[in-house]
């Protein structure tokens, strides 16, 4: 064992979280309490802090597109990604924001909400062929719809479709049901995990919520950062 602390000075976060220079990459960003809870009062906001919030925004700024489950969109009341002043350099030569790509089977989404009507870059819906025709029609009126899979999303096909649209650097913001499937499909390249200094108990989901993964990926530690008792861990495949 070796001691990683005390840490030295401040960190260049843009450099620390830079995507690989070439090729596609899928990064997930999640927050958990010390006892592994990915939710507090049915949301994740109560787990994070100021530093987690600014890292959340930076990771969006670095990404070409943000994949998120409809459960998280509904629970957190997601709006569209808004441009940030701090992104001027990181988004040079790219659209002002990464679009959201919302995963949904039911298409039980409010297509008149700002997430669709006020998005600077059209929101994408990752849908399945078995979706109700009227919901699909509503989705197509307000979003860029990708059909991948019959009854359940074909994750590899969905990610391929995003890459064909030019979105190489993907960020997955969960939630736990989505992340479990991304990992099970062997698509996760990197996990950014914020460890929040809280102990919650109860029965919240962990950051992955799904059946056991037959061959669990063994991730390599990239870095550990700290602010206000929060740890910011970066693991890669
Ligand atoms: N700790 C963290 O970092 C973190 C991050 C994100 C979210 N959260 C928390 O996690 C909770 C939400 O997560 P969740 O796991 O319930 O939901 P989720 O993973 O965000 O979304 C699940 C939904 O995605 C769609 N979906 C998932 N798999 C699918 C498939 N194979 N094919 C088609 N559609 C699919 C379905 O949408 P439809 O129901 O529309 O069909 C499903 O209900 C909230 O409490 C949120 O605050 C925590």
């Amino acid at each position: 064992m070796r001691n990683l602390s005390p840490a030295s000075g401040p960190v260049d976060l843009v450099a620390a979280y830079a995507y690989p220079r070439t090729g596609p990459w899928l990064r997930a960003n999640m927050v958990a309490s010390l006892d592994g809870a990915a939710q507090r009062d049915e949301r994740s906001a109560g787990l994070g802090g100021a530093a987690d919030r600014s890292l959340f925004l930076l990771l969006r700024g670095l990404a070409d597109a943000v994949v998120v489950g409809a459960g998280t969109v509904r629970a957190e009341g997601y709006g569209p990604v808004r441009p940030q002043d701090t992104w001027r350099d990181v988004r040079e030569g790219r659209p002002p924001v990464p679009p959201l790509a919302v995963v949904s089977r039911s298409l039980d989404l409010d297509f008149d909400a700002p997430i669709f009507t006020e998005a600077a870059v059209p929101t994408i819906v990752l849908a399945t062929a078995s979706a109700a025709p009227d919901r699909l029609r509503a989705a197509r009126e307000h979003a860029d719809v990708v059909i991948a899979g019959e009854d359940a999303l074909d994750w590899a096909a969905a990610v391929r479709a995003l890459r064909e649209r030019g979105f190489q650097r993907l960020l997955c913001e969960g939630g736990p049901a989505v992340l479990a499937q991304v990992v099970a499909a062997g698509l996760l390249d990197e996990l950014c995990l914020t460890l929040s200094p809280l102990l919650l108990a109860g029965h919240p989901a962990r950051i992955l919520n799904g059946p056991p993964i037959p061959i669990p990926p063994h991730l390599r530690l990239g870095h550990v950062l700290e602010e206000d008792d929060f740890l910011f861990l970066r693991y890669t495949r």
Side-chain angles (χ1 to χ4, degrees):
M1 280 195 203
R2 60 202 172 95
N3 198 343
L4 293 174
S5 60
S8 46
V11 184
D12 176 350
L13 289 178
V14 172
Y17 287 94
Y19 278 85
R21 277 181 197 282
T22 54
W25 193 257
L26 197 162
R27 154 189 287 164
N29 182 34
M30 301 294 283
V31 57
S33 70
L34 289 182
D35 58 328
Q39 298 167 294
R40 183 179 183 189
D41 302 328
E42 307 296 317
R43 300 186 56 179
S44 60
L47 290 168
D52 177 61
R53 180 72 195 158
S54 57
L55 181 59
F56 175 89
L57 290 175
L58 172 65
L59 295 186
R60 283 185 160 192
L62 293 170
D64 294 335
V66 178
V67 177
V68 63
T72 297
V73 168
R74 292 187 288 258
E76 308 270 346
Y78 260 47
V81 178
R82 307 274 186 199
Q84 305 292 314
D85 291 342
T86 49
W87 286 357
R88 213 162 297 139
D89 293 338
V90 299
R91 295 208 63 82
E92 208 178 351
R94 291 193 283 173
V97 298
L100 291 172
V102 181
V103 182
S104 176
R105 180 188 285 113
S106 69
L107 300 183
D108 177 16
L109 296 161
D110 180 359
F111 294 110
D112 293 319
I115 184 174
F116 295 104
T117 57
E118 292 177 15
V121 177
T123 295
I124 298 164
V125 173
L126 301 176
T128 55
S130 62
D134 61 321
R135 297 309 295 158
L136 259 181
R137 226 175 359 259
R140 286 196 168 109
E141 277 167 23
H142 297 94
D144 175 7
V145 176
V146 171
I147 302 285
E150 266 305 307
D151 189 41
L153 195 76
D154 177 337
W155 287 92
V159 166
R160 212 165 37 243
L162 292 176
R163 287 176 180 156
E164 282 165 8
R165 282 167 162 72
F167 305 126
Q168 300 295 316
R169 292 161 283 194
L170 300 180
L171 172 66
C172 176
E173 292 184 345
V178 156
L179 186 57
Q181 295 174 64
V182 168
V183 175
L187 293 167
L188 187 78
D189 295 305
E190 174 182 337
L191 174 66
C192 297
L193 175 64
T194 298
L195 261 191
S196 169
L198 294 171
L199 293 167
L200 296 177
H203 301 282
R206 289 144 51 198
I207 62 165
L208 268 67
N209 191 8
I213 292 167
I215 306 174
H218 181 123
L219 304 181
R220 295 179 68 89
L221 182 62
H223 69 223
V224 182
L225 309 177
E226 185 275 341
E227 185 168 315
D228 291 338
D229 304 317
F230 285 80
L231 289 184
F232 301 88
L233 312 174
R234 177 169 183 259
Y235 281 92
T236 57
R237 214 142 68 118

